[in-house]
Amino acid sequence: MASQTETGPGSTAPEHRISKRIAAVSPSATLAVDAKAKALQALGENVIGFGAGEPDFPTPEHIVEAAVVACRDPKTHKYTPTGGLPALREALVEKTRRDSGLEVTPSQILVTNGGKHAIANAFAVLCDPGDEVLVPAPYWTTYPESIALAGGVPVVIPTDESSEFRVSVAELEAARTEKTKVLLFVSPSNPTGSVYPRQEIEAIGQWAVDHGIWVVTDEIYEHLTYDGVEHHSMPVVVPELVDRCIVVNGVAKTYAMTGWRVGWLIGPTDVVTAATNLQSHETSNVANVSQRAALAAVAGDLTAAEAMREAFDRRRRTIHTMLNEIDGVSCIEPKGAFYAFPSVKGLIGREFRGRRPASSAELAELAIDEAKVAVVPGEAFGAPGYFRMSYALGDENLVEGVTRLSKLFGEAS
Ligand SMILES: Cc1ncc(COP(=O)(O)O)c(C=O)c1O
């Protein structure tokens, strides 16, 4: 503890209250946009939010019902093993076989507090100080923070529309150094909605195998693909990778269960054992009731998920068409997840209602102030010049929100 003379009252030295490691963490920009939108709504403003990365649907009834039953069962009022309810891990083995064709055992699965926690655990287990992790951009805002917190060094690799925001082996190879330990891979992608075709996944997975690089592959949007595009799991496409691969997944997006906080990681047994040890001191098990709800979700069929996917698909086509009709905006067609990632570079520097936004961040401020439309600026994803717009909101709100943007941006001078 610092002595009073160094940092106490009367001292001129700055007080060292928050550790440097944690002080360096930025707040989640996506949650911040959502919070601003909700705060304005609470003041009675009619704000349309494209910020939140969560389905607007309620959790399907049979899942909620399983949780209600679980709540009444005193067994559910107790701890479970840190790694998760045995029945849930068994069900995840089946689910993984059904949905991706990957064969795993329960000892290769750790149930976590959402996919986010699985990601934090994965990097905590893999990274020593200075280990480099390749992160293609635009990236989901949590990845670099999670890597840095684990002592790793995120190495950002920019991509753009010319490759539909997909990284190539040549770009990965150019960024590889002797310190490269891990590649972060996500398909379908948040924030771009890109989905990698099988042959690109194969090439990237093979490149990782050839160089002894680990892959953390985030499959949380596995069921949200459109236009016949299919999701492929990297360790299935490249089986030699299995010993150096961690799969991240969760119930949040497929089953509209963001608030229940259940995710999981799948990996080699030594990694899963290490992550379970870590979690046993951090959070212990995921809430027992939530695990029982997740069990009902993953053990059931995908009927409800398919109905939501169809709604997202309809909204995807609407937002893609409408955005491209705005002068100064261009948007590639997203093939997965529930995000559009339009370029707004053509609007930057123009004047709107006496303001001249100089960045996508300033343009997003203008959108919420003047049109009461919340979007997340590309700066949050390492990609200035873009907006991320979630289309997981009602059809009418979606049309109203983009119409408002169109009117505002149409006033350019
Ligand atoms: C790509 C990606 N991975 C993981 C997550 C984490 O989801 P959760 O922690 O809610 O399970 C999200 C949530 O936005 C995401 O977009």
Side-chain angles (χ1 to χ4, degrees):
M1 205 216 254
S3 76
Q4 279 239 323
T5 49
E6 278 169 351
T7 59
S11 149
T12 51
E15 194 181 359
H16 181 60
R17 288 166 66 86
I18 309 296
S19 71
K20 292 195 183 75
R21 200 167 39 87
I22 302 303
V25 177
S26 320
S28 163
T30 48
L31 294 184
V33 168
D34 196 42
K36 183 164 180 181
K38 285 187 176 135
L40 283 171
Q41 274 157 356
L43 292 174
E45 297 277 12
N46 176 7
V47 176
I48 298 196
F50 291 91
E54 59 182 345
D56 57 318
F57 301 103
T59 302
E61 192 51 35
H62 70 283
I63 300 173
V64 175
E65 205 42 55
V68 170
V69 172
C71 272
R72 299 222 161 85
D73 177 355
K75 281 206 299 295
T76 319
H77 306 166
K78 307 290 183 199
Y79 295 127
T80 77
T82 297
L85 281 170
L88 176 56
R89 288 159 94 197
E90 289 288 350
L92 288 170
V93 167
E94 280 307 314
K95 175 249 168 279
T96 305
R97 181 181 295 133
R98 177 193 70 185
D99 294 345
S100 21
L102 186 66
E103 296 289 341
V104 295
T105 62
S107 63
Q108 288 180 265
I109 299 176
L110 167 62
V111 178
T112 58
N113 284 278
K116 218 176 233 188
H117 189 209
I119 290 161
N121 278 341
F123 289 122
V125 167
L126 293 182
C127 291
D128 273 318
D131 283 344
E132 291 179 357
V133 182
L134 303 182
V135 184
Y139 49 71
W140 181 44
T141 182
T142 288
Y143 298 136
E145 298 292 352
S146 191
I147 293 161
L149 272 171
V153 179
V155 175
V156 173
I157 308 176
T159 68
D160 61 24
E161 296 91 333
S162 62
S163 65
E164 296 190 350
F165 301 107
R166 299 193 307 266
V167 76
S168 67
V169 168
E171 288 163 327
L172 292 172
E173 183 56 18
R176 185 173 66 86
T177 72
E178 62 198 17
K179 292 191 185 146
T180 307
K181 178 153 186 196
V182 190
L183 163 66
L184 181 283
F185 185 77
V186 54
S187 175
S189 157
N190 173 7
T192 64
S194 292
V195 184
Y196 284 72
R198 188 185 166 101
Q199 69 275 19
E200 289 181 23
I201 296 175
E202 186 172 357
I204 291 171
Q206 194 54 53
W207 167 86
V209 169
D210 291 346
H211 298 288
I213 291 171
W214 286 77
V215 176
V216 173
T217 175
D218 186 339
E219 301 189 348
I220 203 150
Y221 294 101
E222 64 181 332
H223 289 295
L224 294 176
T225 59
Y226 313 105
D227 286 346
V229 167
E230 279 179 34
H231 166 261
H232 297 281
S233 179
M234 196 181 278
V236 176
V237 176
V238 183
E240 307 93 290
L241 189 64
V242 159
D243 194 43
R244 282 213 189 83
C245 185
I246 298 180
V247 177
V248 170
N249 209 329
V251 291
K253 317 289 175 173
T254 304
Y255 304 99
M257 290 181 72
T258 46
W260 298 81
R261 311 308 305 138
V262 184
W264 56 91
L265 62 80
I266 298 174
T269 318
D270 56 344
V271 162
V272 172
T273 303
T276 308
N277 289 344
L278 170 66
Q279 185 166 307
S280 73
H281 295 294
E282 282 179 326
T283 59
S284 302
N285 62 274
V286 172
N288 199 334
V289 171
S290 287
Q291 290 193 65
R292 297 273 291 270
L295 174 57
V298 299
D301 65 22
L302 291 164
T303 311
E306 175 55 20
M308 290 189 265
R309 194 198 66 81
E310 280 168 17
F312 293 140
D313 188 17
R314 188 177 63 239
R315 298 164 186 179
R316 174 185 73 101
R317 282 181 268 118
T318 305
I319 198 169
H320 173 245
T321 306
M322 288 185 75
L323 284 172
N324 279 312
E325 282 165 3
I326 303 177
D327 179 35
V329 176
S330 69
C331 185
I332 63 160
E333 189 175 35
K335 296 291 184 191
F338 41 61
Y339 307 100
F341 202 68
S343 166
V344 291
K345 289 175 188 165
L347 297 173
I348 293 167
R350 296 194 196 173
E351 190 177 312
F352 308 90
R353 302 193 189 172
R355 287 162 68 170
R356 199 178 284 279
S359 63
S360 42
E362 287 184 19
L363 202 61
E365 285 285 329
L366 178 88
I368 192 143
D369 293 345
E370 296 291 331
K372 302 287 178 276
V373 170
V375 299
V376 188
E379 281 83 348
F381 311 102
Y386 299 86
F387 281 172
R388 188 196 75 173
M389 297 176 67
S390 162
Y391 48 85
L393 76 171
D395 297 70
E396 278 178 25
N397 275 346
L398 185 150
V399 171
E400 165 68 16
V402 185
T403 304
R404 285 190 200 175
L405 287 182
S406 175
K407 278 196 191 125
L408 172 65
F409 296 145
E411 293 175 16
S413 54

